[in-house]
Amino acid sequence: MRHLTDFGDMTREEWDTLYERASRIIDAPQEHMDACRGKVMASLFYEPSTRTNFSFQTAMLRLGGTVFGFADPNSSSTAKGESLKDTVKMVSGYADVVVMRTPWEGAAKAASLYSNVPVINAGDGGHMHPTQTTTDLTTITKLRGSVDGLSIGLCGDLKNGRTVHSLIKAMEKFRDIRFFLISPRELAIPDYMRTFMKEKGMRYMEVTGLEAVIPQLDVLYMTRIQRERFVDPLEYERNKGVYILTRRKLHRAKENLLVMHPLPRVDEIAVDVDDDPRAVYFQQARYGMFSRMALLEDLANQPRYETVPPVEIGTKPVCTNPRCITQTQPYLPPLIRKIGGKDCCGFCDAQLR
Ligand code: NCD
């Protein structure tokens, strides 16, 4: 593995190796305090973040490495009109690994085409968030022993929630997973995800009610309604507060259920759930730091690519998704990938029309 822009790019063996490393770090973090000594991580955050940004930074510091970057794009040259390509070419000349979060879908993939060092996607718009997925899988495996065979409820804004898309994509690599996709109809998973699940023969059921399915679940993954992604504010108003998990609703849940949440929470988990032993979201956030340590230990220590293969220069975007990175970076090549036999954008996965 050279970059991590989409969990789907990782093989099951690569994941198993990464998990083994994360698990060793959880058990004895002090043994890794020099693993990235002398290495430098660039942290480019074009969108707000607390956990992901802090956990990446602390992960690198705990490995003995150092960090530079920005958390406010207005303090970068993007504000002066610099292209993503130029920013990445330059930053990858300074750093050993680049971590980036953007509101544009497919941006990390785009950056990876030009970077001399590994690029890690820390969230690209409503598209993917693969290091949240390494966090989630680390948590499930450490606490349940295995991911295979579990019934997993994903609840909330499944349309805009990138953590959900990433997790579903990853689950294709595991056996006997059953998904309950719990969302209002307006906020159901995007078509490309549905096509993906069908193509891979994944078992899933789309429902609108949370309480009816709770007793069947091994993992309940709550998510926030992603206010900043709504084009129509009325749509947000209609859907906010639609699911609220309370202690009472957990009465019929399994004793060993894991209640997870990528955080930040708004109101979808009542505070009275926090003290239930099944609530593992704060532990999940801590495991996120360890799983990022495992990832950085691997990627920041890879040899630098002095030359990057030339990339075809595009002329106009083939993708019509308004949030796709190709809309603002016209030089990007016309990348197309097949999902379920359909032509999709190689950056943001949206189906091409
Ligand atoms: C998530 C994100 O940014 O997508 N947060 C995180 O990284 N832990 C979830 C969210 O913002 O709702």
Side-chain angles (χ1 to χ4, degrees):
M1 186 177 54
R2 184 156 160 73
H3 303 284
L4 180 58
T5 61
D6 183 327
F7 196 97
D9 301 338
M10 212 190 288
T11 63
R12 174 70 195 257
E13 291 66 39
E14 282 171 327
W15 161 249
D16 288 341
T17 309
L18 189 65
Y19 174 73
E20 287 307 320
R21 199 193 281 265
S23 178
R24 282 197 302 275
I25 295 175
I26 292 172
D27 295 340
Q30 69 285 359
E31 285 176 17
H32 297 257
M33 59 195 259
D34 289 319
C36 285
R37 179 78 52 207
K39 300 293 174 184
V40 180
M41 179 185 100
S43 166
L44 314 182
F45 276 69
Y46 294 89
E47 248 195 359
S49 168
T50 310
R51 257 152 307 277
T52 308
N53 189 0
F54 286 175
S55 67
F56 262 115
Q57 295 200 36
T58 50
M60 195 52 165
L61 296 174
R62 282 169 186 269
L63 293 166
T66 49
V67 180
F68 73 96
F70 56 80
D72 171 11
N74 293 323
S75 67
S76 81
S77 280
T78 309
K80 297 185 193 165
E82 184 171 63
S83 71
L84 180 72
K85 174 182 175 180
D86 289 5
T87 304
V88 165
K89 285 268 25 129
M90 191 249 334
V91 168
S92 72
Y94 303 153
D96 299 294
V97 62
V98 176
V99 175
M100 63 187 294
R101 163 169 292 195
T102 75
W104 317 294
E105 304 187 356
K109 167 79 185 175
S112 74
L113 300 178
Y114 305 103
S115 177
N116 298 76
V117 299
V119 172
I120 300 176
N121 182 5
D124 59 334
H127 182 226
M128 291 291 154
H129 194 349
T131 68
Q132 182 63 46
T133 303
T134 58
T135 299
D136 302 339
L137 295 178
T138 299
T139 306
I140 298 173
T141 316
K142 201 72 184 161
L143 298 178
R144 290 292 301 247
S146 162
V147 176
D148 295 318
L150 299 183
S151 289
I152 301 177
L154 300 173
C155 178
D157 185 350
L158 308 189
K159 176 182 175 190
N160 300 300
R162 55 193 171 195
T163 61
V164 166
H165 307 157
S166 260
L167 192 57
I168 293 177
K169 260 204 155 162
M171 287 299 177
E172 172 254 318
K173 302 183 196 304
F174 296 84
R175 279 192 323 270
D176 297 332
I177 304 292
R178 215 150 56 109
F179 275 121
F180 292 90
L181 305 176
I182 309 153
S183 74
R185 274 182 235 291
E186 280 186 302
L187 302 182
I189 51 164
D191 280 341
Y192 76 86
M193 287 286 5
R194 209 170 280 118
T195 311
F196 174 85
M197 296 183 88
K198 287 193 183 133
E199 181 189 19
K200 304 290 181 188
M202 297 170 79
R203 283 197 295 167
Y204 69 94
M205 207 161 100
E206 295 190 67
V207 298
T208 52
L210 169 61
E211 271 177 87
V213 300
I214 283 186
Q216 303 184 57
L217 303 177
D218 299 304
V219 174
L220 172 56
Y221 193 95
M222 298 296 294
T223 64
R224 146 185 96 84
I225 309 294
Q226 306 273 305
R227 179 184 207 149
E228 70 279 23
R229 311 257 179 249
F230 283 77
V231 182
D232 174 3
L234 287 178
E235 192 183 37
Y236 174 75
E237 290 300 321
R238 274 198 302 277
N239 290 296
K240 71 174 187 199
V242 60
Y243 299 111
I244 299 182
L245 182 67
T246 57
R247 199 154 184 150
R248 188 190 58 75
K249 289 183 189 165
L250 283 174
H251 282 337
R252 289 168 52 240
K254 291 185 184 170
E255 281 294 305
N256 60 352
L257 170 75
L258 299 180
V259 179
M260 299 176 64
H261 193 306
L263 303 177
R265 96 174 119 179
V266 180
D267 57 3
E268 56 280 352
I269 301 182
V271 181
D272 68 2
V273 175
D274 295 358
D275 296 324
D276 189 302
R278 291 168 288 190
V280 299
Y281 27 90
F282 293 116
Q283 192 170 3
Q284 179 186 358
R286 182 158 160 84
Y287 282 167
M289 175 181 71
F290 294 125
S291 75
R292 289 177 175 114
M293 283 172 77
L295 190 63
L296 289 171
E297 196 177 296
D298 178 9
L299 294 185
N301 283 306
Q302 293 201 9
R304 186 186 157 75
Y305 269 28
E306 285 313 330
T307 50
V308 175
V311 179
E312 179 186 344
I313 298 172
T315 44
K316 69 176 175 53
V318 290
C319 179
T320 51
N321 170 8
R323 302 191 293 196
C324 178
I325 186 68
T326 57
Q327 300 293 325
T328 56
Q329 311 289 315
Y331 53 83
L332 288 171
L335 287 193
I336 296 173
R337 72 164 125 193
K338 291 261 188 233
I339 302 179
K342 294 178 180 149
D343 281 346
C344 295
C345 173
F347 294 96
C348 74
D349 290 330
Q351 206 171 305
L352 300 179
R353 277 182 266 257

